[in-house]
Amino acid sequence: MKSVPTFASPLAALGIHQSTIFYQLAPAALIEAALQRNEGVLTDTGALAVDTGKFTGRSPKDRFIVDDSVSHNNVWWGKVNYKMDGAHFVGIQKRMMAYLNGRDLFVRDCSVCADERYSMSVRVITETAYQNLFAYHLFIRPDKSDINNTMDWTVIAAPGFEADPETDGTRQKNFTIISFSKRIILIGGTGYTGEIKKSIFSVLNFTLPYYNKVLPMHCSANVGPDGDTAIFFGLSGTGKTTLSADTNRRLIGDDEHGWSDEAIFNFEGGCYAKCAGLSAESEPQIFNAIQQGALLENVSFIKGTNEADYNNICKTENTRVAYPVHYINNALIPSAGEAPKHIFFLTADAFGVLPPVAKLTVEQAMYYFISGYTAKVAGTEAGINEPVATFSACFGEAFLPLHPIEYANLLGKKITEQNASVWLINTGWTGGPYGTGERIKLSYTRAMVNAVLDGRLGKVGFRTDPVYNMNIPLSCPGIPDDVLDPRNTWADTEKYEEQANKLALAFVSNFEKYVVISPINLINAGPNTVSAVF
Ligand code: ATP
Ligand code: MN
């Protein structure tokens, strides 16, 4: 490994003078460094497996935006975007740089946005080699000739540096802080790599609509043989990565995209897939992507081997693998496609009441987009698992520096202009809530998505759901008819009605905060609680 002294000067501007810099190392060299530094082990497929430490997921309550001239009047402050004052930021930055000074550091220059009109360069400086490998995989890898020393944004990630909440104005010792005026992101006290990609996603969610009128989206995207693009919105765990990996369609990206006037483009250059329960049979493309160079996080091994055991989730349910997009064999590069013909809203409804597939009107699309519903399953002390409704605006509230309505209006406009069809897909439970019912088979979900994509589902008859007002297909090729109507899948219809009403009320109550800013046809597009209460 060679350090590159030419990078001393830009880092000196940050206050880092005495560090050994490992600049732009290739994956093999990063893995070698990670192994030498005991950051992880090599698996039988040649992937690097690391444990990310105390944090195995993001920490949204510890994500701050610095209150400055760029952000002050524009950011939607509150429980999503916590304010940090400039003085606290300066203090943390100073001590963080002092901490990094003299240490070995990994520096990587990369970029985001596959559409070069919106491309932004990002320098990622990390304390560990594996975080740098993550940046290599997830961001776009520019040609050497396209890299110069002036970067649009700098991300500095040091798991070993912790804030002092008393003096630093943070909630805990870990933090992610975005400064729009300095164009710096500081991440400390956590080794979870998802913070790196999602902080840059937050930046793009501010800059793209604000300066360029491009809609940033928390969605995956793929394209069919006829060039028809499909996008899949959904909160974590609803199936964006899983459903966008499709042997019959080319992958654009699995998580973050922009929609300009004429095209869809990936922000990233790689994927970050869940590994829990992964098998070669059910998800072959993702399984096969865990090859040489890939980065596995928090997985366990089959005893006495270096073979990952994806069914073992003792460290966390959120076991992950990061790999460059071209590890999916039919990925499309550059990662861009036409404006979407079909849009899917994925939801994992643990109440077991939403239909597995339904067609939405434009108003319904906006209503369900703003609502951003999925469900989580929370264990109680008595050991009973109860579904909890989660509403996260635009299927990604945690990453929205602007008010959700700004994104929703942009989406509504684009859907209308481009005449895209919008479908709700429940990838969650059927036949009863979590615990009683079961998760909809992945093969069924894939069959329903395919029937939309090849146009067959557009041609069948529909009926309107009395509570949710959505149009539910009467039949779907490859799917037994009774699966399509959630009422039929429950043993007790009365219990179904009760549960459907409970969730409808949760929708209405969540939407109350948007009522004052929404036109009446949008409010009316929600579930019909009157007919459900009797
Ligand atoms: P994140 O935003 O955290 O990356 P994601 O939306 O990409 O989340 P996935 O990684 O695709 O979510 O996770 C969906 C998980 O649910 C996978 O582990 C998949 O195997 C599982 N699953 C089970 N049944 C289904 C189904 N019917 N449809 C989609 N996924 C399913
Ligand atoms: Mn994903």
Side-chain angles (χ1 to χ4, degrees):
M1 292 184 296
K2 277 213 176 88
S3 65
V4 177
T6 49
F7 280 81
S9 76
L11 294 191
L14 292 164
I16 300 170
H17 313 276
Q18 290 143 7
S19 290
T20 307
I21 306 296
F22 298 101
Y23 176 68
Q24 214 73 342
L25 295 193
L30 282 172
I31 290 182
E32 192 190 311
L35 295 173
Q36 264 175 23
R37 296 159 49 96
N38 291 319
E39 292 177 13
V41 296
L42 209 55
T43 75
D44 60 341
T45 68
L48 173 69
V50 300
D51 285 348
T52 59
K54 185 176 162 200
F55 291 92
T56 56
R58 283 181 305 102
S59 190
K61 287 190 178 141
D62 301 298
R63 199 276 249 138
F64 300 85
I65 293 179
V66 180
D67 183 11
D68 58 29
S69 58
V70 182
S71 64
H72 188 76
N73 291 325
N74 300 311
V75 165
W76 173 48
W77 299 108
K79 281 191 178 157
V80 170
N81 298 300
Y82 293 96
K83 227 180 231 187
M84 171 168 281
D85 63 58
H88 277 133
F89 179 75
V90 169
I92 295 177
Q93 185 182 1
K94 211 168 157 194
R95 278 192 298 106
M96 191 169 172
M97 295 314 118
Y99 167 86
L100 291 174
N101 216 355
R103 283 172 201 268
D104 286 357
L105 293 179
F106 298 87
V107 179
R108 157 144 265 109
D109 288 340
C110 31
S111 69
V112 286
C113 296
D115 184 329
E116 61 184 30
R117 287 174 297 175
Y118 311 108
S119 175
M120 201 171 84
S121 54
V122 181
R123 173 167 293 161
V124 185
I125 303 171
T126 62
E127 183 184 5
T128 66
Y130 82 85
Q131 287 172 301
N132 217 261
L133 182 64
F134 177 83
Y136 174 89
H137 287 332
L138 263 292
F139 294 134
I140 294 171
R141 296 156 289 277
D143 290 340
K144 234 183 186 166
S145 56
D146 289 337
I147 297 174
N148 60 45
N149 233 334
T150 48
M151 289 286 141
D152 292 324
W153 276 81
T154 302
V155 181
I156 308 172
F161 176 79
E162 294 183 330
D164 173 6
E166 297 264 302
T167 54
D168 289 331
T170 56
R171 187 182 72 108
Q172 306 191 132
K173 290 175 178 172
N174 63 299
F175 58 85
T176 295
I177 314 167
I178 301 170
S179 165
F180 280 106
S181 61
K182 294 191 173 160
R183 288 186 280 163
I184 289 177
I185 295 166
L186 302 180
I187 301 170
T190 170
Y192 184 64
T193 53
E195 299 280 6
I196 298 174
K197 75 176 226 119
K198 283 300 192 330
S199 60
I200 283 291
F201 185 47
S202 296
V203 167
L204 292 168
N205 273 297
F206 181 79
T207 56
L208 285 178
Y210 192 74
Y211 297 110
N212 306 99
K213 300 284 172 244
V214 169
L215 175 66
M217 304 178 292
H218 189 212
C219 71
S220 60
N222 65 20
V223 56
D226 300 332
D228 56 303
T229 304
I231 59 176
F232 303 81
F233 285 96
L235 287 160
S236 187
T238 58
K240 292 183 298 299
T241 299
T242 306
L243 296 171
S244 60
D246 179 336
T247 43
N248 298 316
R249 299 173 64 82
R250 303 191 70 182
L251 178 71
I252 298 179
D254 82 327
D255 200 49
E256 307 170 6
H257 294 81
W259 186 348
S260 67
D261 278 345
E262 49 306 280
I264 291 290
F265 61 93
N266 194 351
F267 292 166
E268 303 179 291
C271 304
Y272 194 39
K274 280 192 218 314
C275 294
L278 191 64
S279 72
E281 295 71 41
S282 62
E283 293 165 71
Q285 289 181 303
I286 296 172
F287 189 88
N288 292 330
I290 309 179
Q291 51 184 265
Q292 197 165 13
L295 173 66
L296 279 165
E297 294 179 354
N298 305 312
V299 297
S300 299
F301 293 93
I302 295 170
K303 224 175 171 190
T305 74
N306 57 352
E307 186 185 334
D309 177 0
Y310 300 120
N311 291 318
N312 185 341
I313 49 167
C314 67
K315 292 178 191 166
T316 172
E317 279 182 26
N318 190 30
T319 53
R320 293 269 180 172
V321 58
Y323 48 85
V325 68
H326 61 258
Y327 276 26
I328 296 289
N329 53 19
N330 58 356
L332 182 67
I333 296 167
S335 313
E338 288 174 10
K341 191 169 172 194
H342 300 291
I343 299 175
F344 297 95
F345 292 166
L346 308 177
T347 179
D349 175 27
F351 287 83
V353 296
L354 290 181
V357 57
K359 193 168 198 297
L360 305 183
T361 63
V362 176
E363 286 79 17
Q364 285 171 344
M366 284 185 66
Y367 183 94
Y368 287 99
F369 183 67
I370 295 173
S371 299
Y373 165 72
T374 193
K376 288 206 171 96
V377 181
T380 64
E381 276 167 39
I384 303 161
N385 290 306
E386 279 279 336
V388 180
T390 308
F391 294 95
S392 176
C394 311
F395 298 106
E397 189 169 281
F399 323 117
L400 305 182
L402 305 176
H403 191 280
I405 203 76
E406 310 229 12
Y407 305 95
N409 285 340
L410 210 46
L411 181 76
K413 191 167 163 272
K414 285 179 183 294
I415 291 174
T416 314
E417 279 171 10
Q418 316 266 352
N419 202 18
S421 81
V422 185
W423 302 78
L424 181 100
I425 302 277
N426 176 11
T427 62
W429 278 258
T430 184
Y434 176 88
T436 315
E438 54 188 42
R439 194 149 180 200
I440 292 162
K441 287 192 183 77
L442 179 53
S443 58
Y444 281 1
T445 302
R446 284 198 191 278
M448 291 182 237
V449 167
N450 285 336
V452 169
L453 294 173
D454 64 23
R456 285 176 299 169
L457 208 56
K459 295 191 189 108
V460 303
F462 288 83
R463 60 173 189 82
T464 306
D465 184 87
V467 179
Y468 290 91
N469 299 320
M470 299 169 186
N471 285 318
I472 302 178
L474 296 169
S475 64
C476 173
I479 305 287
D481 289 353
D482 54 3
V483 171
L484 297 172
D485 182 355
R487 266 176 196 77
N488 292 342
T489 65
W490 283 53
D492 184 336
T493 317
E494 239 169 68
K495 274 208 173 123
Y496 173 84
E497 297 297 343
E498 201 180 293
Q499 187 88 324
N501 187 46
K502 199 168 151 190
L503 181 62
L505 288 170
F507 266 104
V508 171
S509 135
N510 171 67
F511 205 82
E512 268 165 21
K513 55 183 175 284
Y514 304 116
V515 164
V516 283
I517 48 164
S518 302
I520 193 77
N521 60 345
L522 183 52
I523 301 163
N524 287 343
N528 182 1
T529 51
V530 181
S531 75
V533 188
F534 50 86

